[in-house]
PDB file of all heavy atoms in Angstrom:
ATOM      1  N   ARG Y 164     -12.249  -5.040 -15.155  1.00  0.00           N
ATOM      2  CA  ARG Y 164     -12.033  -3.705 -15.695  1.00  0.00           C
ATOM      3  C   ARG Y 164     -11.865  -2.646 -14.636  1.00  0.00           C
ATOM      4  O   ARG Y 164     -11.513  -1.517 -14.936  1.00  0.00           O
ATOM      5  CB  ARG Y 164     -13.199  -3.335 -16.611  1.00  0.00           C
ATOM      6  CG  ARG Y 164     -14.551  -3.355 -15.932  1.00  0.00           C
ATOM      7  CD  ARG Y 164     -15.651  -3.128 -16.948  1.00  0.00           C
ATOM      8  NE  ARG Y 164     -15.574  -1.793 -17.508  1.00  0.00           N
ATOM      9  CZ  ARG Y 164     -16.204  -0.742 -16.981  1.00  0.00           C
ATOM     10  NH1 ARG Y 164     -16.903  -0.882 -15.881  1.00  0.00           N
ATOM     11  NH2 ARG Y 164     -16.120   0.429 -17.548  1.00  0.00           N
ATOM     12  N   SER Y 165     -12.069  -2.978 -13.338  1.00  0.00           N
ATOM     13  CA  SER Y 165     -12.108  -1.918 -12.323  1.00  0.00           C
ATOM     14  C   SER Y 165     -10.825  -1.747 -11.549  1.00  0.00           C
ATOM     15  O   SER Y 165     -10.706  -0.822 -10.777  1.00  0.00           O
ATOM     16  CB  SER Y 165     -13.233  -2.217 -11.338  1.00  0.00           C
ATOM     17  OG  SER Y 165     -12.971  -3.440 -10.690  1.00  0.00           O
ATOM     18  N   CYS Y 166      -9.858  -2.644 -11.732  1.00  0.00           N
ATOM     19  CA  CYS Y 166      -8.679  -2.611 -10.861  1.00  0.00           C
ATOM     20  C   CYS Y 166      -7.408  -2.237 -11.604  1.00  0.00           C
ATOM     21  O   CYS Y 166      -6.317  -2.412 -11.084  1.00  0.00           O
ATOM     22  CB  CYS Y 166      -8.484  -3.965 -10.185  1.00  0.00           C
ATOM     23  SG  CYS Y 166      -9.889  -4.461  -9.203  1.00  0.00           S
ATOM     24  N   GLY Y 167      -7.529  -1.744 -12.860  1.00  0.00           N
ATOM     25  CA  GLY Y 167      -6.341  -1.545 -13.673  1.00  0.00           C
ATOM     26  C   GLY Y 167      -5.329  -0.603 -13.077  1.00  0.00           C
ATOM     27  O   GLY Y 167      -4.145  -0.922 -12.995  1.00  0.00           O
ATOM     28  N   LEU Y 168      -5.767   0.572 -12.676  1.00  0.00           N
ATOM     29  CA  LEU Y 168      -4.824   1.556 -12.172  1.00  0.00           C
ATOM     30  C   LEU Y 168      -4.129   1.074 -10.927  1.00  0.00           C
ATOM     31  O   LEU Y 168      -2.919   1.202 -10.780  1.00  0.00           O
ATOM     32  CB  LEU Y 168      -5.559   2.870 -11.897  1.00  0.00           C
ATOM     33  CG  LEU Y 168      -4.696   3.995 -11.322  1.00  0.00           C
ATOM     34  CD1 LEU Y 168      -3.537   4.297 -12.269  1.00  0.00           C
ATOM     35  CD2 LEU Y 168      -5.542   5.230 -11.095  1.00  0.00           C
ATOM     36  N   LEU Y 169      -4.911   0.469 -10.022  1.00  0.00           N
ATOM     37  CA  LEU Y 169      -4.333  -0.021  -8.769  1.00  0.00           C
ATOM     38  C   LEU Y 169      -3.236  -1.033  -9.027  1.00  0.00           C
ATOM     39  O   LEU Y 169      -2.141  -0.945  -8.484  1.00  0.00           O
ATOM     40  CB  LEU Y 169      -5.433  -0.642  -7.908  1.00  0.00           C
ATOM     41  CG  LEU Y 169      -4.962  -1.361  -6.639  1.00  0.00           C
ATOM     42  CD1 LEU Y 169      -4.227  -0.388  -5.741  1.00  0.00           C
ATOM     43  CD2 LEU Y 169      -6.151  -1.971  -5.933  1.00  0.00           C
ATOM     44  N   PHE Y 170      -3.514  -1.997  -9.907  1.00  0.00           N
ATOM     45  CA  PHE Y 170      -2.526  -3.039 -10.106  1.00  0.00           C
ATOM     46  C   PHE Y 170      -1.426  -2.622 -11.066  1.00  0.00           C
ATOM     47  O   PHE Y 170      -0.353  -3.219 -11.087  1.00  0.00           O
ATOM     48  CB  PHE Y 170      -3.206  -4.338 -10.544  1.00  0.00           C
ATOM     49  CG  PHE Y 170      -3.863  -4.999  -9.388  1.00  0.00           C
ATOM     50  CD1 PHE Y 170      -5.192  -4.783  -9.103  1.00  0.00           C
ATOM     51  CD2 PHE Y 170      -3.124  -5.783  -8.519  1.00  0.00           C
ATOM     52  CE1 PHE Y 170      -5.782  -5.360  -8.003  1.00  0.00           C
ATOM     53  CE2 PHE Y 170      -3.714  -6.351  -7.417  1.00  0.00           C
ATOM     54  CZ  PHE Y 170      -5.049  -6.144  -7.149  1.00  0.00           C
ATOM     55  N   ALA Y 171      -1.662  -1.607 -11.875  1.00  0.00           N
ATOM     56  CA  ALA Y 171      -0.562  -1.028 -12.623  1.00  0.00           C
ATOM     57  C   ALA Y 171       0.449  -0.422 -11.669  1.00  0.00           C
ATOM     58  O   ALA Y 171       1.661  -0.542 -11.849  1.00  0.00           O
ATOM     59  CB  ALA Y 171      -1.084   0.032 -13.598  1.00  0.00           C
ATOM     60  N   ILE Y 172      -0.068   0.230 -10.618  1.00  0.00           N
ATOM     61  CA  ILE Y 172       0.818   0.800  -9.603  1.00  0.00           C
ATOM     62  C   ILE Y 172       1.612  -0.295  -8.910  1.00  0.00           C
ATOM     63  O   ILE Y 172       2.818  -0.201  -8.733  1.00  0.00           O
ATOM     64  CB  ILE Y 172      -0.016   1.605  -8.578  1.00  0.00           C
ATOM     65  CG1 ILE Y 172      -0.595   2.851  -9.254  1.00  0.00           C
ATOM     66  CG2 ILE Y 172       0.837   2.025  -7.406  1.00  0.00           C
ATOM     67  CD1 ILE Y 172      -1.639   3.553  -8.413  1.00  0.00           C
ATOM     68  N   ILE Y 173       0.901  -1.367  -8.523  1.00  0.00           N
ATOM     69  CA  ILE Y 173       1.586  -2.467  -7.849  1.00  0.00           C
ATOM     70  C   ILE Y 173       2.606  -3.107  -8.784  1.00  0.00           C
ATOM     71  O   ILE Y 173       3.709  -3.493  -8.374  1.00  0.00           O
ATOM     72  CB  ILE Y 173       0.573  -3.507  -7.358  1.00  0.00           C
ATOM     73  CG1 ILE Y 173      -0.334  -2.867  -6.303  1.00  0.00           C
ATOM     74  CG2 ILE Y 173       1.264  -4.731  -6.788  1.00  0.00           C
ATOM     75  CD1 ILE Y 173      -1.454  -3.763  -5.855  1.00  0.00           C
ATOM     76  N   ALA Y 174       2.266  -3.210 -10.070  1.00  0.00           N
ATOM     77  CA  ALA Y 174       3.208  -3.773 -11.031  1.00  0.00           C
ATOM     78  C   ALA Y 174       4.486  -2.957 -11.070  1.00  0.00           C
ATOM     79  O   ALA Y 174       5.589  -3.508 -11.156  1.00  0.00           O
ATOM     80  CB  ALA Y 174       2.571  -3.810 -12.419  1.00  0.00           C
ATOM     81  N   ALA Y 175       4.335  -1.629 -11.005  1.00  0.00           N
ATOM     82  CA  ALA Y 175       5.526  -0.785 -11.029  1.00  0.00           C
ATOM     83  C   ALA Y 175       6.409  -1.033  -9.830  1.00  0.00           C
ATOM     84  O   ALA Y 175       7.640  -1.039  -9.925  1.00  0.00           O
ATOM     85  CB  ALA Y 175       5.114   0.686 -11.072  1.00  0.00           C
ATOM     86  N   VAL Y 176       5.781  -1.227  -8.657  1.00  0.00           N
ATOM     87  CA  VAL Y 176       6.557  -1.528  -7.461  1.00  0.00           C
ATOM     88  C   VAL Y 176       7.353  -2.809  -7.653  1.00  0.00           C
ATOM     89  O   VAL Y 176       8.524  -2.907  -7.313  1.00  0.00           O
ATOM     90  CB  VAL Y 176       5.622  -1.660  -6.243  1.00  0.00           C
ATOM     91  CG1 VAL Y 176       6.422  -2.027  -5.015  1.00  0.00           C
ATOM     92  CG2 VAL Y 176       4.876  -0.364  -6.007  1.00  0.00           C
ATOM     93  N   VAL Y 177       6.684  -3.824  -8.230  1.00  0.00           N
ATOM     94  CA  VAL Y 177       7.368  -5.091  -8.471  1.00  0.00           C
ATOM     95  C   VAL Y 177       8.533  -4.903  -9.419  1.00  0.00           C
ATOM     96  O   VAL Y 177       9.618  -5.449  -9.226  1.00  0.00           O
ATOM     97  CB  VAL Y 177       6.380  -6.132  -9.035  1.00  0.00           C
ATOM     98  CG1 VAL Y 177       7.102  -7.404  -9.438  1.00  0.00           C
ATOM     99  CG2 VAL Y 177       5.315  -6.448  -8.004  1.00  0.00           C
ATOM    100  N   LEU Y 178       8.314  -4.095 -10.490  1.00  0.00           N
ATOM    101  CA  LEU Y 178       9.384  -3.882 -11.452  1.00  0.00           C
ATOM    102  C   LEU Y 178      10.579  -3.184 -10.822  1.00  0.00           C
ATOM    103  O   LEU Y 178      11.722  -3.445 -11.186  1.00  0.00           O
ATOM    104  CB  LEU Y 178       8.846  -3.046 -12.630  1.00  0.00           C
ATOM    105  CG  LEU Y 178       7.841  -3.769 -13.536  1.00  0.00           C
ATOM    106  CD1 LEU Y 178       7.258  -2.795 -14.553  1.00  0.00           C
ATOM    107  CD2 LEU Y 178       8.498  -4.945 -14.236  1.00  0.00           C
ATOM    108  N   LEU Y 179      10.325  -2.314  -9.867  1.00  0.00           N
ATOM    109  CA  LEU Y 179      11.412  -1.601  -9.217  1.00  0.00           C
ATOM    110  C   LEU Y 179      12.335  -2.530  -8.449  1.00  0.00           C
ATOM    111  O   LEU Y 179      13.484  -2.241  -8.217  1.00  0.00           O
ATOM    112  CB  LEU Y 179      10.850  -0.524  -8.271  1.00  0.00           C
ATOM    113  CG  LEU Y 179      10.263   0.701  -8.955  1.00  0.00           C
ATOM    114  CD1 LEU Y 179       9.569   1.577  -7.929  1.00  0.00           C
ATOM    115  CD2 LEU Y 179      11.336   1.480  -9.670  1.00  0.00           C
TER     116      LEU Y 179
END
Side-chain angles (χ1 to χ4, degrees):
R164 59 186 294 270
S165 62
C166 301
L168 178 58
L169 173 60
F170 284 94
I172 292 169
I173 296 174
V176 178
V177 174
L178 290 173
L179 287 172

